[in-house]
Amino acid sequence: MNKYLDNLKKGVDLRESALGLKEEIRKTHSGKTLAKELAGDFSVFTELLKHEDPKVRKNVALVMGELGEESLKPVLWEAYQREEILYIRADYLKALSQYDCTPYLEAIKARMEELDRIAVTPEEEKHVYCEQTALKTVLVKTEKIRKHTFTAWHERLEVILLVNREHREATAEQLYRPEKVRLLAGGVRFVTDNLERVQPIRTYTEMLFPIPGLELLEGSPQNMAEQLAHSQMLPFLKKCHKEDQPFYFRLEVRAQMVPEQKVDLVKKLARALEKESDRQLLNAPGGYEIELRLVGNREGRFIPLLKLFTIKDRRFSYRVESLPVSIAPVNAALIMYLVKDYLREGARVLDPFCGVGTMLIERRQVATPSALYGVDIMEEAVRKARKNSSLAHVRSDYIHRDFVDFTHEKPFDEIVTNLPAASRLRNVESVAALYDRFLEYIPRVARSGATIVAYTPDYGILKHSLEEHGRYYIKKTFCINEREGSFVVVFRLK
C-alpha cells in the first residue's frame, strides 16, 4: 500500500497506482487506518481529483470514499458536480455513499429528475443509468427507506399461493371461505376477504398478488412501463398500505431468455417505470419492499405479479439453522399435512435421522405428541436442532448418536423421518444397506402397530426393502416430486 501511495505522491504510474491502492484498501479494509496515518493531509488525493486522466480521478475518488474522512465529503461533492465524463460520475457517488449526504439531498433529487428529462444517445444510456442507480443508492442510504405497513388484512383481495404441483388441493382445502378457487399449474388462485386466516397456512411456498385488471404485459420495456404505470398497480399498493410515500421495488424476470436479454429488460423497464410513475415507484438495489415479478409465457408476453415483503412471513422463522441436506420447512409441513390422518394426539414420536429438527417441529404442528425424540449421528445437526426447537417453542429431546445405538425404555408410537438419500458421497448400495438397517431397527424401539412416515427421494429402494422384510404393510404413498422421484411412504409395523 505504501508503494502505491508513494507513487501517487511522486506522480509515477498514476493510473496503475490509484487502482492498486483502491484494491489494496478494499481487500484489507484499511481505509480508516490510512486516514489516520495521513494525519489530515489528503492533498495528494484532492489534487489528483483534477488530473486530466479520468481513470485516475475515478480511482482516487473511490479511495477517498474508503477513507471515511468527513472533510473529504464536500471535496468529492464538488468534484462530482464539475465532472464532465459521464462514465465516471457514478464512481464519485459510490464514494459519497460512504458518507452522510443529507446536505446534498435536494440536489440529488434534482439531478435524478434532470436525468429523466435529458435526451441521451444509445451510447450514453448505459452511463446515465449507472449514475441514476448510484444516485438512488445515496438517496436510500441518506433517507433510510421508511417502511410501509400492510393494513389490508380484511380487504377483498385476489391471491395466488404457489404450492407443490402434485398437491394443490392440500392447500386449497385449507383456505378460509375462498371464492372462485382456480387450480393453476403450480398454485391456487382465489379471492378472500380474510388474508389473516390465509397467511398462516404452512403448505405454500410464496404468496403473490395479481395486478387488478392487468393480466399480461407485452411490447418494449417502455410500453410495458406505461402499461404498469397506468394500471391499478399503484392504487392497489396504496390501498394495501398505510403510509403515503414512494414504494421501493425490485424487478424479477422469470422467462426463457438469455441472461443478457434479461439484464437489459430489467434495467430498461425499471428506469422507465420510475419515470412513468412520477417516481412513486423507485427501483432499489436493497431495502425494497415490493417485488414486481414478470413470468414469461409461450407467446413471449409476461404475467405481472406482486410479492409484498411488507407481509412478514414468520411461519418458519424458527429455522435459523440448517444443513445442505436439510428438508425445506414447507416440504416438511406439506408431508405432515398429507399424513395427518395417520398421526394421533399424545403419541410418542421418534426421528432417527432428525437433522436440524424440522420434521419433528412440523409434526408438532399437526397433533400434540406426548414426547418428541430426535437422533442424529452428526453432533452439529443435533446442536442446530436444539436451537431450532427452542425458537419454535417445541419441547423435544435430541441425542447425538447413531440411530442403531439408541434405545428407550418406552416404545414409540410413531416414527417420522427424512431418510438419507443417494448422493455423490453415498451410492445406491449404501442407501439400500442403510434402509435395511433402519427397518431391522424399528421393532427395537417401536410398539406393534406403530406408524412410520418416511420421506425419501429413493422410493424404489425403500419399497424393495419393505417388501423384503415382510414385517410391514404400506398404508399410503404420496408422490411429492415426480421428476425427482421423491415420495412419502406411510407404513405400519405388524
Side-chain angles (χ1 to χ4, degrees):
M1 187 164 69
N2 289 332
K3 172 190 170 185
Y4 296 131
L5 186 59
D6 288 341
N7 283 346
L8 292 177
K9 289 178 178 178
K10 295 173 183 176
V12 178
D13 297 328
L14 290 177
R15 182 181 285 197
E16 294 77 10
S17 298
L19 175 62
L21 182 59
K22 179 197 74 175
E23 296 298 332
E24 185 68 23
I25 288 173
R26 286 187 173 175
K27 185 170 65 177
T28 59
H29 307 287
S30 55
K32 294 190 183 302
T33 302
L34 177 59
K36 287 182 181 178
E37 291 177 1
L38 292 171
D41 181 8
F42 306 112
S43 56
V44 61
F45 302 125
T46 56
E47 288 302 316
L48 286 173
L49 280 183
K50 302 170 186 174
H51 195 273
E52 62 183 9
D53 186 340
K55 290 195 175 178
V56 170
R57 300 197 300 273
K58 161 187 170 169
N59 286 307
V60 165
L62 291 170
V63 167
M64 292 168 70
E66 296 291 334
L67 296 180
E69 184 63 34
E70 195 65 21
S71 64
L72 295 177
K73 181 171 68 176
V75 180
L76 283 167
W77 178 253
E78 289 170 13
Y80 163 66
Q81 288 185 304
R82 69 171 178 261
E83 182 59 60
E84 295 180 354
I85 305 298
L86 274 178
Y87 76 86
I88 66 168
R89 288 182 64 88
D91 293 291
Y92 288 95
L93 293 165
K94 289 175 185 175
L96 282 163
S97 71
Q98 306 296 323
Y99 297 89
D100 177 8
C101 291
T102 303
Y104 315 126
L105 204 54
E106 293 308 313
I108 289 169
K109 292 178 179 178
R111 177 60 178 168
M112 290 177 72
E113 292 176 3
E114 180 186 357
L115 289 175
D116 273 340
R117 293 193 303 269
I118 63 174
V120 295
T121 66
E123 294 77 21
E124 294 171 329
E125 185 177 14
K126 173 185 175 182
H127 305 311
V128 169
Y129 179 80
C130 287
E131 184 178 351
Q132 285 182 314
T133 302
L135 282 164
K136 276 181 290 185
T137 300
V138 175
L139 186 64
V140 167
K141 285 189 174 183
T142 305
E143 287 195 314
K144 296 185 173 55
I145 295 177
R146 292 175 295 161
K147 300 295 184 183
H148 285 85
T149 306
F150 183 84
T151 56
W153 297 105
H154 298 283
E155 297 282 347
R156 185 175 174 81
L157 301 173
E158 188 170 20
V159 184
I160 294 175
L161 299 181
L162 300 188
V163 300
N164 182 292
R165 289 173 176 265
E166 311 289 340
H167 299 286
R168 296 168 297 172
E169 295 83 355
T171 300
E173 66 190 27
Q174 298 176 68
L175 296 174
Y176 174 73
R177 293 195 309 189
E179 300 177 30
K180 302 177 184 176
V181 176
R182 286 172 52 198
L183 298 182
L184 309 176
V188 294
R189 184 169 181 163
F190 58 96
V191 175
T192 183
D193 59 2
N194 197 333
L195 198 62
E196 213 164 25
R197 293 284 188 94
V198 173
Q199 197 211 8
I201 294 172
R202 304 180 78 79
T203 53
Y204 67 87
T205 55
E206 288 187 281
M207 178 184 290
L208 303 173
F209 297 87
I211 296 173
L214 185 61
E215 292 292 328
L216 290 170
L217 290 174
E218 58 184 331
S220 67
Q222 178 62 40
N223 289 337
M224 289 195 284
E226 291 170 3
Q227 293 167 53
L228 287 164
H230 296 101
S231 73
Q232 289 298 304
M233 180 169 67
L234 266 171
F236 170 79
L237 290 173
K238 290 178 179 179
K239 178 183 83 169
C240 291
H241 299 89
K242 183 168 61 175
E243 294 80 3
D244 183 17
Q245 58 200 34
F247 290 90
Y248 287 87
F249 73 94
R250 73 179 293 266
L251 269 171
E252 170 76 12
V253 177
R254 299 192 180 180
Q256 295 296 319
M257 302 172 70
V258 297
E260 293 79 10
Q261 285 181 318
K262 192 178 291 188
V263 170
D264 187 58
L265 171 60
V266 168
K267 285 183 177 179
K268 290 180 178 177
L269 178 53
R271 181 184 177 193
L273 185 54
E274 285 190 352
K275 186 176 180 180
E276 292 298 323
S277 69
D278 293 327
R279 296 202 170 274
Q280 294 180 76
L281 293 165
L282 294 173
N283 183 225
Y288 49 82
E289 296 179 298
I290 309 297
E291 179 185 293
L292 174 56
R293 185 176 301 179
L294 305 185
V295 182
N297 65 13
R298 293 176 181 176
E299 291 76 37
R301 296 187 288 181
F302 297 93
I303 303 165
L305 300 167
L306 295 171
K307 182 173 182 178
L308 306 183
F309 291 97
T310 51
I311 300 176
K312 305 302 180 187
D313 186 357
R314 297 186 175 89
R315 295 173 300 159
F316 308 112
S317 57
Y318 66 82
R319 237 289 278 273
V320 298
E321 299 284 0
S322 64
L323 294 167
V325 295
S326 297
I327 188 170
V330 69
N331 286 342
L334 173 63
I335 289 166
M336 293 306 154
Y337 182 81
L338 293 174
V339 305
K340 64 183 184 303
D341 292 340
Y342 302 94
L343 309 178
R344 67 177 181 83
E345 297 281 341
R348 292 175 50 76
V349 184
L350 169 68
D351 184 346
F353 306 97
C354 70
V356 298
T358 311
M359 290 287 277
L360 287 176
I361 293 169
E362 292 304 321
R363 163 62 183 82
R364 171 65 177 76
Q365 301 293 328
V366 176
T368 304
S370 63
L372 290 173
Y373 280 79
V375 178
D376 203 282
I377 198 170
M378 289 181 63
E379 184 178 6
E380 180 186 10
V382 168
R383 188 170 62 251
K384 291 183 173 185
R386 287 171 181 155
K387 184 172 182 179
N388 288 338
S389 291
S390 174
L391 291 172
H393 305 291
V394 170
R395 183 177 178 180
S396 50
D397 292 287
Y398 291 103
I399 297 95
H400 171 220
R401 197 170 300 170
D402 191 339
F403 74 97
V404 293
D405 295 327
F406 171 75
T407 57
H408 200 275
E409 58 185 18
K410 293 183 180 179
F412 290 93
D413 306 300
E414 295 172 12
I415 293 175
V416 298
T417 195
N418 172 22
L419 288 170
S423 65
R424 183 172 55 85
L425 301 176
R426 183 185 287 116
N427 60 30
V428 171
E429 291 75 17
S430 298
V431 170
L434 180 67
Y435 287 9
D436 283 339
R437 289 171 63 207
F438 168 59
L439 295 177
E440 290 168 3
Y441 162 76
I442 289 173
R444 292 170 47 196
V445 292
R447 65 170 177 79
S448 297
T451 297
I452 300 94
V453 176
Y455 169 68
T456 174
D458 296 313
Y459 170 63
I461 300 175
L462 178 60
K463 186 171 182 289
H464 178 75
S465 293
L466 284 167
E467 291 169 350
E468 288 291 309
H469 278 78
R471 296 196 61 177
Y472 304 96
Y473 57 96
I474 295 176
K475 295 290 293 181
K476 188 77 173 180
T477 301
F478 300 91
C479 175
I480 300 301
N481 189 313
E482 188 172 9
R483 182 170 55 84
E484 295 177 357
S486 57
F487 286 76
V488 172
V489 184
V490 182
F491 55 99
R492 285 211 169 120
L493 175 63
K494 293 180 181 177

